[in-house]
């Protein structure tokens, strides 16, 4: 990383790195409360909380080797943010790196998905279905993430876990985005829900996008649009583990540090980044 604090343990040069990590300080389509632009910095600071040894995986944190690119330049218009993200992540995808992105609002996932091969599936963990054609006048709003992903990857290649806030117009259409609600997950367990997702998607490669509001606000209060009755953090850990060897990248979005003086939301986000890296690292051997 050229300046500022890099992610803990991310000391590899680009060429030798297995994983490519970058931040996007973007929250200009936030509709309720902004501040997710402070996410990347807070998540990097939180990353120094943890042991360098992932004991339950039997892995040291230097596996995989991680390169921290820093944050992309900030722009106001979503189209400009998209160009910056595609410029950063495109070469890393082509070079076969495992992708880690720190948001920023959920819309930062759109240009990442556009940079992925079309034979990649997207599993989202989110309180919201985010499947609108457009929202508040733009098709690039955080509320349209899954609709844009479905256009690129196919409706049979996207799935959302943890949904509990949906607009009627998102369901009352011919092509709703498939999902399992948080109510079903809390009642029947995460395992069946992840199995449904893996049965529903077409591609072998899976990218996971985590909107931190998918988790219950009791555990992740620092977010732009908190929604009660959410997932438990341990269920999200299990979901990442169940995707396992198929995982090709991960982002965590909508961490909004100004609404969480305890900083626990950033700590949790960083822990999920470490989990994704460890699940990837295990297959490097
Ligand atoms: Mn959400």
């Amino acid at each position: 990383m050229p300046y500022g604090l890099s992610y803990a343990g991310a000391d590899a040069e680009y060429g030798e790195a297995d994983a490519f990590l970058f931040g996007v300080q973007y929250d200009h389509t936030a509709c309720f409360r902004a501040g997710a632009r402070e996410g990347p910095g807070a998540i990097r600071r939180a990353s120094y909380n943890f042991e360098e040894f992932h004991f339950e995986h039997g892995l040291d944190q230097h596996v995989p080797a991680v390169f921290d690119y820093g944050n992309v330049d900030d722009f106001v218009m979503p189209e400009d943010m998209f160009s910056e993200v595609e410029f950063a992540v495109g070469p890393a995808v082509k070079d076969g790196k495992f992708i880690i992105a720190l948001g920023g609002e959920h819309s930062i996932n759109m240009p990442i998905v556009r940079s992925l091969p079309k034979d990649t599936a997207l599993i989202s963990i989110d309180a919201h279905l985010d499947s609108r054609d457009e929202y508040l006048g733009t098709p690039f709003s955080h509320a349209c993430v899954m609709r844009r992903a479905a256009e690129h990857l196919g409706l049979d290649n996207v799935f959302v876990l943890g949904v509990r806030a949906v607009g009627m117009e998102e369901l009352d259409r011919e092509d709703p985005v498939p999902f399992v609600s948080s109510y079903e997950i809390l009642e029947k367990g995460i395992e069946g829900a992840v199995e449904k997702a893996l049965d529903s998607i077409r591609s072998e490669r899976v990218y996971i996008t985590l909107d931190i509001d998918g988790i219950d606000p009791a555990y992740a209060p620092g977010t732009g649009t908190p929604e009660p009755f959410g997932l438990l953090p341990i269920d999200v850990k299990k979901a990442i583990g169940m995707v396992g060897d198929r995982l090709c990248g991960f982002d965590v979005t909508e961490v909004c540090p100004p609404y969480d003086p305890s900083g626990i939301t950033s700590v949790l986000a960083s822990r999920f980044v470490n989990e994704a890296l460890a699940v990837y690292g295990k297959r490097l051997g």
Side-chain angles (χ1 to χ4, degrees), residues 106 126-128 130 211 213-214 225 254:
H106 208 175
D126 195 339
H128 309 91
D130 280 356
D211 180 331
D213 70 28
T225 49
E254 299 289 349

Side-chain angles (χ1 to χ4, degrees), residues 106 124-130 142-143 164-165 210-214 223 225-227 253-254:
H106 208 175
S124 178
I125 296 163
D126 195 339
H128 309 91
L129 196 53
D130 280 356
H142 61 92
R164 54 200 184 276
L210 170 61
D211 180 331
I212 203 78
D213 70 28
T223 193
T225 49
E227 189 70 40
T253 68
E254 299 289 349

